[in-house]
Amino acid sequence: MLITDDFLPVPVPESLSATYLVPMAGLPKVSAKTAVAALTGRLAEPVHGLARQMLESPLMSVDTRPIADFPELPPDLLTAFGATEEQLARLAAATHLVVVQAEYRPGWPPAHEWAARAVAAAVAESVDSDVVDVFGLQFLDPATALRSLPDEQGRIRLVDWVLVPYSSDTEGLWFTTKGLRRFGLLELQTQGVPDHLTRAWGAVMTGAARRLLRDWTDGLTGEEVPAFVQLPVLATVTGHDIAVAYGNPEQHGATAPVLLRLELDPATDPEADSFLSLRPPAGHRGPDGRYYAAACATLFSGIQPDVRYARSADAMSRAVATARAALGDARARFVAGRLPAESQLVVKYGLPGDDGPEYVWAGVTSWETAERIVGVSASDANTDPAVRIGAPVVVDATEVVDWAILDATGVIEGGWTQAVLDSGEPPTP
């Protein structure tokens, strides 16, 4: 094996596996084969044929087992990754789990993931249930699971398969990917990212994952699975990589490429995961965070940080100021459980776009630290295809421009910016 300073040898696992669960009350109404057959004409080839073939082979198993035979799925983590109350309620009421498992060699296509998700979605649809992606600890409704599979041209959105969670420490933000191991590749990480780059660096990580995954699968095209794949030490990330990863290849701009240095960070604990770290190139002077900020400025040079509204700027400014002044109190009541019964706290925040930010709402599910809000999107975004109704989102509190408390009748408190959009003046705080 040739090892040079330009390439990093990354170990390749011998095989890969995927596991999906379908919770249900009672036993399945139809067989997995019948459920998959019902997708004829709705699921693109070759995935539909692949699912049928793997069902007939020892590479896939579909078993129905009592739910008591399994360890409890952690509801807190499921909620953090977007599970709704209805989905958790169906899980709690389930008596059985249909377990879909598949195994395949590393390479492209990832037959184990595509076939297992397709079969699980077909079974879930037949009983009006959900799909639980065990790897990502995510609930997927059958329609969402089917949409994530390749289209007629074999294209997927990487954001449907790879998440980019982050946490905060004294050095800044720590970003990791969660999903590259589906394809046999080590997960990526970046440490020391400045707090104000929350959304931008998540997009950069997604673009880097797309570029490295392509290099990874290119190294697995031979008949034999190699022991290592040589990845370039200097990874090039472009706006096109980011756009393709989000499923919008036509929306990328002519941005300059950004270089990131790849380092292997092996785990010292045999039970822990190793990572591929993304760092500034050798020779960069100054803090790493300064390079990350410059990289984001290069890749998102067309995004302006100004706030654009359709109504009076003065009225909207007052509305935002009113909402933000009361945000701390809203959080305190949410954390203490002092919101009105049967109510929901939602926040409004901005997504970057070419014509200015797009503002969307998210339902708050967790708010443990003042600066980081965990929730689920309340709408589909136009500027970010990863933001879909029910999808998990993490919102930087500094990005919040409004909040509201909702019950069955509508807004019972807050919603100042929406009132400006509706009537031209904010309500009395």
Side-chain angles (χ1 to χ4, degrees):
M1 178 180 64
L2 178 63
I3 301 177
T4 72
D5 292 338
D6 297 328
F7 292 92
L8 180 68
V10 179
V12 180
E14 293 182 1
S15 64
L16 301 172
S17 62
T19 302
Y20 290 85
L21 307 176
V22 180
M24 61 180 62
L27 298 174
K29 299 177 181 178
V30 299
S31 69
K33 293 180 182 178
T34 302
V36 171
L39 297 178
T40 301
R42 297 170 51 203
L43 188 60
E45 297 295 348
V47 178
H48 192 210
L50 181 66
R52 296 197 310 270
Q53 292 170 17
M54 291 195 73
L55 268 172
E56 299 284 353
S57 79
L59 295 174
M60 177 179 285
S61 64
V62 181
D63 301 311
T64 302
R65 306 176 194 172
I67 196 168
D69 291 351
F70 290 84
E72 181 184 7
L73 293 170
D76 291 345
L77 286 177
L78 289 169
T79 300
F81 284 108
T84 65
E85 292 184 4
E86 292 79 8
Q87 290 169 329
L88 292 174
R90 285 194 290 271
L91 176 63
T95 61
H96 291 77
L97 290 175
V98 175
V99 184
V100 181
Q101 294 180 302
E103 186 173 341
Y104 202 64
R105 58 163 280 174
W108 200 265
H112 59 298
E113 283 286 352
W114 289 357
R117 185 174 287 198
V119 171
V123 172
E125 187 176 75
S126 71
V127 294
D128 195 24
S129 185
D130 309 291
V131 176
V132 181
D133 172 12
V134 173
F135 182 94
L137 277 179
Q138 277 190 294
F139 269 96
L140 302 170
D141 63 80
T144 299
L146 292 173
R147 281 198 304 269
S148 71
L149 295 166
D151 61 15
E152 293 78 2
Q153 285 75 45
R155 298 172 300 189
I156 62 169
R157 298 188 326 152
L158 192 61
V159 291
D160 291 330
W161 299 88
V162 177
L163 305 175
V164 186
Y166 68 90
S167 59
S168 180
D169 58 27
T170 57
E171 303 299 322
L173 299 177
W174 174 34
F175 283 80
T176 61
T177 59
K178 185 175 179 60
L180 287 177
R181 283 189 178 274
R182 299 180 191 270
F183 312 104
L185 182 58
L186 297 178
E187 302 291 357
L188 305 179
Q189 70 171 359
T190 306
Q191 295 175 292
V193 178
D195 291 351
H196 69 281
L197 298 179
T198 303
R199 191 167 300 278
W201 196 255
V204 174
M205 291 278 287
T206 305
R210 184 257 173 184
R211 172 59 64 97
L212 289 170
L213 183 59
R214 189 179 67 176
D215 294 336
W216 174 254
T217 54
D218 285 347
L220 296 171
T221 54
E223 293 185 5
E224 299 293 331
V225 176
F228 295 87
V229 166
Q230 301 272 17
L231 293 181
V233 169
L234 282 180
T236 303
V237 183
T238 67
H240 178 69
D241 292 314
I242 296 171
V244 171
Y246 280 87
N248 292 316
E250 71 284 353
Q251 294 184 7
H252 72 92
T255 61
V258 165
L259 294 178
L260 293 169
R261 177 163 49 94
L262 203 62
E263 294 182 351
L264 178 61
D265 185 12
T268 55
D269 182 347
E271 299 298 322
D273 292 331
S274 298
F275 285 95
L276 293 173
S277 295
L278 296 176
R279 298 283 312 282
H284 166 70
R285 297 181 179 179
D288 289 358
R290 185 181 302 167
Y291 185 85
Y292 303 146
C296 291
T298 297
L299 292 170
F300 305 108
S301 57
I303 296 176
Q304 299 300 320
D306 59 311
V307 178
R308 305 182 186 186
Y309 294 100
R311 301 283 182 171
S312 162
D314 290 342
M316 189 59 75
S317 295
R318 291 196 300 272
V320 173
T322 300
R324 289 198 56 79
L327 186 61
D329 178 69
R331 174 182 179 264
R333 285 186 287 156
F334 173 85
V335 172
R338 291 190 285 107
L339 296 182
E342 305 298 325
S343 68
Q344 167 73 54
L345 176 63
V346 296
V347 295
K348 186 179 185 180
Y349 64 103
L351 299 172
D354 291 338
D355 297 323
E358 176 189 10
Y359 290 92
V360 294
W361 291 90
V364 179
T365 59
S366 175
W367 201 344
E368 295 181 358
T369 60
E371 65 275 4
R372 184 173 182 265
I373 305 169
V374 177
V376 294
S377 181
S379 61
D380 290 346
N382 295 320
T383 54
D384 188 343
V387 178
R388 290 290 177 264
I389 294 177
V393 293
V394 179
V395 180
D396 188 330
T398 61
E399 298 176 352
V400 173
V401 297
D402 202 359
W403 59 270
I405 298 174
L406 313 177
D407 66 6
T409 65
V411 177
I412 60 175
E413 183 179 350
W416 293 275
T417 63
Q418 193 62 43
V420 173
L421 295 174
D422 292 341
S423 64
E425 289 294 333
T428 302

